Amino acid sequence: MPSPTELLSRRHLLATLCAASGIVSTPSIAQNRSRRTRNEPVAKSYYAERPDAMRFADDMAARRGLPADWVRDMIGQAVFLPNVPRLMLPPARGVAKNWRVYRSRFIDPVRIRAGARFWERNRSALARAQADFGVPPEIIVGIVGVETIYGQVMGNFRVIDALATLTFDFPPQHPRAQARQAFFQDELEQFLSLAQRIGMDPLNPLGSYAGAMGMPQFMPSSWVKYAIDYDGDGHIDLWNSEVDVIGSVANYFKGYGWQPGLRTHYPVRLSPEARMDTLLAPDILPSFSTDSFAANGALPMDGGLSHPGKFALIELQNGNPALPGNEPEYVAGTENFYVITRYNWSSYYAMAVIDLGQEVAATLSV
């Protein structure tokens, strides 16, 4: 029986011959609709037709000790998604960030109610994860809520299509194109290696346009490093097992240095003479001791003066600061705030996770 890659080649040859002969195949509209998914282009472009993709497949198979025919077949059946490279581009310059607008996308009644149900269903697993890894329930609940509304929106892109598109067709105009493309090349390798190891069909999983999977939206490398069988059924399932998701998210944070009992941030009071350029230069990386923070005009409040570690001044813009009421908000972020940004390199994301978890907790007797 011919492999799918051989079938693709035959279909391509047949289409060429038909076009040359004036023969046109016209499937019905209903047939076309039944064969398409929302994120697939009308005219599919398979990576089996790309010599660079096939060379990559051979090289990957040799380096990772995988069957070359299988790797070529899987990558060959990946489809180029033309909308995905556009989604990877950063927003246009001049667009003002707005924390209040960003927050409203994630802290809403739908997520809060869903988060409360998730928490109630999984009280014992959340308590166990806190005991095992030191990560509070509200942080785990916040992550899963922000990422997928507790599994309601996990993405409808085929993971292999997304990863192949970003491996072979990453937008060159991106300011960090080379590094980002290398990242997705590694993720494609990790994904196929994982699929081969656990017996998963790489053509089946759906995820985000960046290839993130399941309720916690783990990239393949994160799945390999941090996903765990926390419900004890003998396999890891981040799509359907909420207990596996809870344990895996907690394990992820522990792996990135989460410190049990440490707050994520403190209120901060800025003096009129605060050296804002100095304070904001490290961005979200905690770089100031309590003394140096204060010496530069930032005073952590609500017990922050006793914080033993370092701070970052976190700035949350609210649109054009020249307009009344649009002044930025500031907090003093700790090492644990920084750990949350290892999930998504954004202070706005981290604050949304924290706030959603706290809002859900406020609705429960925890």
Side-chain angles (χ1 to χ4, degrees):
M1 179 178 292
S3 71
T5 302
E6 292 171 328
L7 289 173
L8 289 174
S9 299
R10 292 180 187 179
R11 293 190 194 113
H12 180 70
L13 176 60
L14 178 60
T16 302
L17 292 174
C18 288
S21 305
I23 302 172
V24 179
S25 175
T26 56
S28 69
I29 293 175
Q31 286 175 313
N32 276 331
R33 285 177 178 168
S34 69
R35 292 173 184 172
R36 294 205 299 267
T37 64
R38 184 180 303 171
N39 296 306
E40 290 177 337
V42 175
K44 294 180 181 179
S45 176
Y46 289 91
Y47 281 101
E49 302 171 0
R50 290 273 296 269
D52 59 332
M54 294 298 96
R55 286 193 300 270
F56 176 89
D58 290 338
D59 178 63
M60 174 193 160
R63 284 185 291 100
R64 291 185 172 261
L66 297 174
D69 289 345
W70 180 82
V71 176
R72 288 176 65 90
D73 193 24
M74 294 301 102
I75 292 179
Q77 292 188 73
V79 176
F80 169 65
L81 301 176
N83 53 335
V84 165
R86 292 193 293 270
L87 292 170
M88 295 304 298
L89 293 174
R93 291 184 178 180
V95 177
K97 296 179 180 179
N98 193 314
W99 162 237
R100 287 192 289 264
V101 171
Y102 184 95
R103 186 185 188 278
S104 69
R105 297 172 186 163
F106 300 104
I107 290 78
D108 60 19
V110 171
R111 275 186 169 84
I112 293 171
R113 286 194 298 267
R117 293 191 295 269
F118 179 88
W119 196 318
E120 290 286 11
R121 286 194 304 271
N122 296 288
R123 278 184 178 270
S124 61
L126 288 164
R128 179 158 60 100
Q130 183 169 20
D132 291 344
F133 304 101
V135 183
E138 59 267 27
I139 298 298
I140 299 172
V141 170
I143 284 285
V144 184
V146 167
E147 288 293 337
T148 62
I149 318 181
Y150 309 98
Q152 295 182 38
V153 184
M154 293 188 283
N156 57 358
F157 294 80
R158 268 201 331 176
V159 172
I160 195 166
D161 296 338
L163 293 177
T165 297
L166 295 171
T167 292
F168 305 113
D169 291 288
F170 194 88
Q173 63 270 40
H174 191 284
R176 298 178 59 240
Q178 186 173 359
R180 297 301 292 163
Q181 185 169 21
F183 168 80
F184 285 108
Q185 287 175 353
D186 182 68
E187 293 299 330
L188 177 58
E189 292 195 17
Q190 296 272 11
F191 176 66
L192 289 173
S193 297
L194 173 66
Q196 175 76 1
R197 185 168 64 254
I198 67 176
M200 176 177 68
D201 185 349
L203 303 179
N204 286 337
L206 301 179
S208 76
Y209 67 84
M213 299 178 287
M215 275 185 258
Q217 292 290 275
F218 270 17
M219 292 299 290
S221 60
S222 294
W223 187 304
V224 170
K225 292 179 183 176
Y226 303 113
I228 59 175
D229 172 22
Y230 209 48
D231 62 11
D233 68 353
H235 69 280
I236 299 167
D237 184 355
L238 300 187
W239 280 278
N240 302 294
S241 172
E242 293 181 340
V243 176
D244 283 359
V245 169
I246 289 166
S248 298
V249 171
N251 190 40
Y252 181 99
F253 281 126
K254 181 180 179 181
Y256 275 97
W258 183 271
Q259 299 180 39
L262 180 69
R263 287 178 55 168
T264 58
H265 65 286
Y266 292 87
V268 64
R269 186 174 69 204
L270 299 174
S271 72
E273 298 80 24
R275 301 182 182 93
M276 297 303 291
D277 288 347
T278 300
L279 289 166
L280 294 173
D283 196 15
I284 54 181
L285 180 67
S287 304
F288 299 97
S289 66
T290 303
D291 288 344
S292 63
F293 206 51
N296 281 287
L299 189 66
M301 308 297 291
D302 191 21
L305 288 174
S306 62
H307 173 60
K310 294 185 176 181
F311 287 114
L313 182 64
I314 306 300
E315 180 182 65
L316 302 167
Q317 299 175 16
N318 284 306
N320 184 350
L323 298 177
N326 284 7
E327 295 80 10
E329 298 174 40
Y330 296 93
V331 298
T334 70
E335 291 91 338
N336 275 357
F337 187 96
Y338 184 75
V339 170
I340 298 176
T341 67
R342 301 310 82 208
Y343 218 99
N344 184 317
W345 190 289
S346 165
S347 55
Y348 297 77
Y349 173 89
M351 283 301 304
V353 166
I354 295 164
D355 281 5
L356 177 59
Q358 290 177 343
E359 292 284 347
V360 173
T363 69
L364 303 171
S365 297
V366 297

